[in-house]
């Protein structure tokens, strides 16, 4: 056991060692050949007696002011925390006196990083932009999808975007799922954002979607009025629910084409809940084709449409859902404007096979 005097002397010694080693640590090589210009210098510390056998991630988060444990874990996974030149694990426990070298990258900037991603712009003026979003593009940054987003592309193409939705969602008034293509409106000013939000909340915006479903609905047209909430045990999904955590959701639909086990459907959502159209169609037994979450399969093969087993081409690897039309009032002039996005090639090919 160390007495108070011995502990104080040891801590002063450790502080001296930390300072000396932080000077020499600058000469450590970056893991995997990373460019040194993108990271801060290597620093060092010595595990103190009171930190004996403490987890490395907990130790660094406690020592480094303003650095969260998640940032420490990210640095560890990138090989930016080392002992004797070897990588460590977040859960590893070190004895007192161990010399630890580390680099903690700066936190990500507020808001999306502009990226030169092409956009199909349907309309553009000083306060309103309307884009035909391609399938596979995430609207705003989220876990696992930090680049290639619509907001990153917007930040590159437009100098001014509304900040009313927060720093990570500039201009975003409403959203489309990653694999849903079609029309999406963007606000360039906070005033335009407020005016558009008011229209969406008051259900004066008219939206029309195209979906390909299997099997076809039993009715040619109907109105689905079923509340939606988070799925009780699959948190990435939504579900039809009738409890305190659910919200009212209404969708009208019309079948536009029936061919065997498939149908094309026009959808007119009256509300805008997460996954609403996909959940509602699945709830009546006609899920969207190639909808991995709600149909159980994330693909569609040509043979399923032609009946020829030799047709092994994959036609779809995303849900067959497209935001075809959007009607709203211009946030400044009040003029009714209608925007339409052409059916993308993958869905057009499926529709052509169904019609033939």
């Amino acid at each position: 056991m160390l007495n108070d005097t011995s502990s104080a002397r040891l801590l002063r010694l450790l502080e001296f060692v930390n300072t000396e080693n932080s000077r020499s640590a600058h000469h450590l090589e970056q893991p995997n050949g990373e460019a040194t210009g993108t990271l801060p210098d290597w620093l060092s510390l010595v595990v103190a007696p009171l930190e004996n056998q403490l987890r490395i991630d907990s130790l660094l988060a406690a020592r480094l002011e303003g650095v969260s444990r998640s940032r420490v874990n990210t640095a560890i996974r990138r090989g930016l925390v080392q002992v004797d030149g070897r990588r460590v694990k977040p859960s590893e426990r070190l004895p007192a006196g161990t010399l630890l070298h580390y680099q903690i990258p700066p936190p990500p900037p507020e808001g999306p990083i502009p990226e030169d991603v092409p956009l199909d712009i349907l309309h553009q003026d000083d306060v309103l932009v309307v884009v035909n979003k391609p399938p596979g593009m995430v609207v705003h940054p989220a876990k696992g999808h930090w680049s290639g987003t619509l907001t990153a592309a917007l930040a590159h193409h437009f100098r001014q975007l509304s900040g009313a939705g927060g720093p990570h969602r500039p201009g975003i008034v409403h959203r489309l799922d990653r694999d849903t293509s079609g029309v999406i409106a963007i606000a360039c000013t906070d005033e335009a954002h407020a005016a558009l939000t008011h229209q969406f909340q008051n259900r004066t915006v008219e939206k029309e979607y195209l979906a390909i479903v299997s099997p076809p609905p039993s009715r040619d047209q109907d109105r689905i009025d079923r509340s939606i909430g988070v799925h009780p045990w699959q948190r990435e999904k939504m579900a039809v629910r009738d409890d305190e955590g659910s919200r009212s959701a209404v969708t009208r639909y019309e079948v536009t084409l029936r061919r065997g086990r498939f149908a094309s459907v026009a959808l007119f959502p009256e509300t805008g809940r997460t996954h609403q159209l996909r959940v509602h169609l699945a709830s009546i037994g006609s899920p969207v084709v190639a909808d991995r979450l709600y149909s159980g399969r994330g693909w569609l093969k040509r043979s399923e449409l032609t009946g020829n087993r030799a047709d092994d081409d994959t036609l779809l690897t995303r849900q067959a859902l497209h935001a075809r039309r959007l009607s709203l009032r211009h946030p400044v002039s009040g003029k009714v404007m209608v925007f339409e996005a052409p059916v993308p090639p993958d869905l057009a090919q499926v529709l052509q096979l169904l019609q033939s």
Side-chain angles (χ1 to χ4, degrees):
M1 291 289 291
L2 295 172
N3 58 34
D4 292 342
T5 303
S6 299
S7 296
R9 289 174 180 169
L10 179 56
L11 286 174
R12 285 196 297 272
L13 174 62
L14 294 179
E15 289 174 0
F16 172 77
V17 173
N18 287 347
T19 302
E20 291 302 308
N21 279 284
S22 65
R23 294 171 183 167
S24 61
H26 296 172
H27 302 292
L28 289 174
E29 293 184 3
Q30 300 288 353
N32 299 325
E34 287 192 79
T36 56
T38 61
L39 291 168
D41 290 336
W42 283 96
L43 299 174
S44 304
L45 62 80
V46 174
V47 179
L50 294 178
E51 298 167 332
N52 183 53
Q53 299 302 324
L54 191 65
R55 284 176 57 114
I56 291 179
D57 55 357
S58 299
L59 185 155
L60 283 173
R63 278 279 197 110
L64 306 177
E65 185 177 354
V67 177
S68 67
R69 189 165 169 176
S70 63
R71 276 179 63 196
V72 170
N73 273 279
T74 299
I76 292 174
R77 286 194 298 270
R78 291 177 59 184
L80 301 178
V81 180
Q82 299 179 8
V83 173
D84 295 331
R86 67 171 180 83
R87 294 187 175 208
V88 297
K89 296 180 179 179
S91 59
E92 190 170 335
R93 300 173 187 273
L94 301 176
T98 302
L99 178 63
L100 194 66
H101 295 292
Y102 66 90
Q103 291 174 296
I104 305 296
E110 284 287 307
I113 299 174
E115 297 180 48
D116 188 5
V117 178
L119 289 176
D120 181 5
I121 299 173
L122 302 176
H123 170 84
Q124 177 183 349
D125 62 39
D126 291 340
V127 299
L128 175 67
V129 172
V130 181
V131 172
N132 178 19
K133 186 186 84 68
M137 174 181 277
V138 176
V139 171
H140 54 76
K143 185 177 181 180
H145 302 284
W146 301 111
S147 63
T149 64
L150 176 61
T151 52
L154 291 169
H156 172 81
H157 290 282
F158 300 99
R159 292 183 178 180
Q160 181 179 7
L161 294 167
S162 163
H168 298 291
R169 303 184 183 190
I172 302 303
V173 180
H174 64 123
R175 59 181 295 275
L176 297 175
D177 295 334
R178 179 186 65 183
D179 289 331
T180 298
S181 54
V183 186
I184 184 169
I186 310 299
C188 297
T189 66
D190 289 353
E191 293 78 11
H193 192 287
L196 292 171
T197 298
H198 180 77
Q199 293 183 55
F200 278 96
Q201 290 176 343
N202 287 274
R203 304 183 185 181
T204 59
V205 175
E206 296 179 3
K207 296 171 283 185
E208 179 184 345
Y209 287 72
L210 162 71
I212 301 171
V213 302
S214 179
S218 58
R219 299 180 179 181
D220 286 339
Q221 58 183 12
D222 200 1
R223 185 173 184 268
I224 306 171
D225 186 351
R226 298 179 177 180
S227 298
I228 291 175
V230 177
H231 196 282
W233 61 85
Q234 292 179 277
R235 308 307 290 179
E236 74 278 9
K237 294 178 65 174
M238 307 298 286
V240 168
R241 302 186 63 171
D242 187 15
D243 54 27
E244 188 176 340
S246 63
R247 302 178 69 187
S248 64
V250 179
T251 303
R252 291 187 298 108
Y253 73 83
E254 297 176 6
V255 177
T256 56
L257 175 69
R258 292 178 183 269
R259 285 292 185 274
R261 296 188 299 109
F262 297 90
S264 64
V265 179
L267 300 159
F268 307 93
E270 297 179 14
T271 54
R273 310 306 180 206
T274 301
H275 298 180
Q276 175 178 317
L277 302 180
R278 299 160 64 190
V279 172
H280 272 174
L281 287 169
S283 75
I284 63 170
S286 298
V288 176
V289 166
D291 186 341
R292 190 179 305 276
L293 270 183
Y294 298 103
S295 74
R297 288 182 52 191
W299 68 91
L300 174 70
K301 291 187 175 293
R302 180 186 293 270
S303 59
E304 298 177 67
L305 302 176
T306 65
N308 183 354
R309 294 183 178 180
D311 291 337
D312 199 38
D313 295 343
T314 300
L315 298 179
L316 286 178
T317 56
R318 59 101 172 187
Q319 64 230 24
L321 187 61
H322 176 65
R324 180 160 55 188
R325 181 175 173 274
L326 180 69
S327 174
L328 50 76
R329 290 189 176 275
H330 190 273
V332 174
S333 71
K335 178 184 176 181
V336 174
M337 305 184 75
V338 179
F339 307 101
E340 295 188 4
V343 178
D346 57 351
L347 298 188
Q349 185 178 18
V350 174
L351 289 173
Q352 184 177 11
L353 285 171
L354 288 176
Q355 290 167 349
S356 63

